[in-house]
Amino acid sequence: MSSFKRTTARERGFTLIELMIAVAIIGILSAVAIPAYGNYVTRARLADAYSGLGTVQTAAEEYWSNNRTYVGFDRLPATSANFSYSLTSATASAYVVTAVGRGPAQDFSFTIDQNGGRATPHAPTGWTTSTSCWIDRKDGRCVQ
């Protein structure tokens, strides 16, 4: 006798139920993973503004220690794909620099002042704003 077992139609492939379960599992995982990935990408774009404004603060303090005024300060970060930077006010003793979102980050704006005060004056619908910190999540949590 032959040692080969004869396969029946039932043993050859997946049943329709098994395929439907696999598709349902993929759908559930996608429903969770895609929004989480989108939030992760947004937070990475916002980090561009945080690092740019942090650089501005250091440069502004250096300028003030050399000149004893912020008037004339112009060392702003270069415009990136996500943010442009502008000195929105500068006096002898105070300044405010604003990062305004561009492209995918267009609805965001962040500011920093001479005291290191951070604010999120504008954010997209569904996000919160803050007068005391930079927001990096929809639930209003501040950047540490």
Side-chain angles (χ1 to χ4, degrees):
M1 284 232 136
S2 172
S3 63
F4 292 105
K5 183 178 172 184
R6 186 171 186 170
T7 58
T8 63
R10 197 166 228 193
E11 297 175 0
R12 288 189 185 164
F14 297 106
T15 66
L16 182 59
I17 296 294
E18 291 170 329
L19 288 174
M20 289 177 65
I21 290 171
V23 168
I25 290 170
I26 291 170
I28 291 168
L29 292 175
S30 296
V32 172
I34 291 172
Y37 179 73
N39 290 335
Y40 174 77
V41 170
T42 298
R43 288 178 48 217
R45 287 186 177 122
L46 299 181
D48 187 15
Y50 311 147
S51 65
L53 291 173
T55 302
V56 164
Q57 183 179 19
T58 304
E61 293 311 310
E62 180 183 340
Y63 185 87
W64 187 87
S65 69
N66 292 333
N67 301 294
R68 298 292 184 223
T69 183
Y70 293 113
V71 175
F73 174 71
D74 64 353
R75 292 176 27 202
L76 299 174
T79 296
S80 69
N82 298 311
F83 286 91
S84 61
Y85 302 89
S86 63
L87 183 65
T88 50
S89 71
T91 65
S93 60
Y95 72 88
V96 176
V97 175
T98 303
V100 177
R102 303 168 30 118
Q106 72 182 356
D107 292 330
F108 290 97
S109 68
F110 302 98
T111 63
I112 193 162
D113 64 21
Q114 74 285 348
N115 295 321
R118 301 171 177 188
T120 307
H122 193 262
T125 303
W127 287 67
T128 59
T129 59
S130 174
T131 58
S132 61
C133 70
W134 294 331
I135 302 295
D136 79 334
R137 297 171 195 237
K138 279 187 177 183
D139 64 7
R141 281 190 262 171
C142 297
V143 174
Q144 299 300 323

